[in-house]
Amino acid sequence: MTESSVEWPTWLASIQRGVETLPCGRWFDAVRVLAVDGERALAELGLVSAGVVEDQGAGTLCWLVPVGVV
C-alpha cells in the first residue's frame, strides 16, 4: 500500500498550505495554520490570543476557538 492510497482522517495534519477549520468536539473547534504564519499572528495578537496548540512535527499551530465561530 502506498502513502497516496491511504485515506487520511479529516482531523489529521495535512501538508496543504493555508488556514484550515477542524471540528474538534463539543466545546471547541480549531483553526490550523503553518507555524511561520502562526508565529507572526501571535506576535501581533500578544496576550489577546486564544489558546494555541503547537504541533512541531507538522510545523503547525492550532487556535482553539468556540464551536461555530469560524
Side-chain angles (χ1 to χ4, degrees), residues 2-65:
T2 66
E3 186 176 331
S4 61
S5 67
V6 174
E7 194 168 318
W8 293 97
T10 57
W11 54 266
L12 195 59
S14 72
I15 58 171
Q16 292 180 322
R17 181 167 175 82
V19 176
E20 228 177 307
T21 302
L22 305 172
C24 294
R26 296 168 82 177
W27 309 112
F28 61 89
D29 285 338
V31 177
R32 181 174 57 195
V33 298
L34 291 175
V36 66
D37 297 325
E39 289 166 5
R40 285 190 323 205
L42 279 174
E44 289 290 322
L45 291 169
L47 297 176
V48 186
S49 177
V52 179
V53 177
E54 180 180 18
D55 182 344
Q56 291 179 337
T60 60
L61 296 176
C62 293
W63 269 261
L64 305 179
V65 298

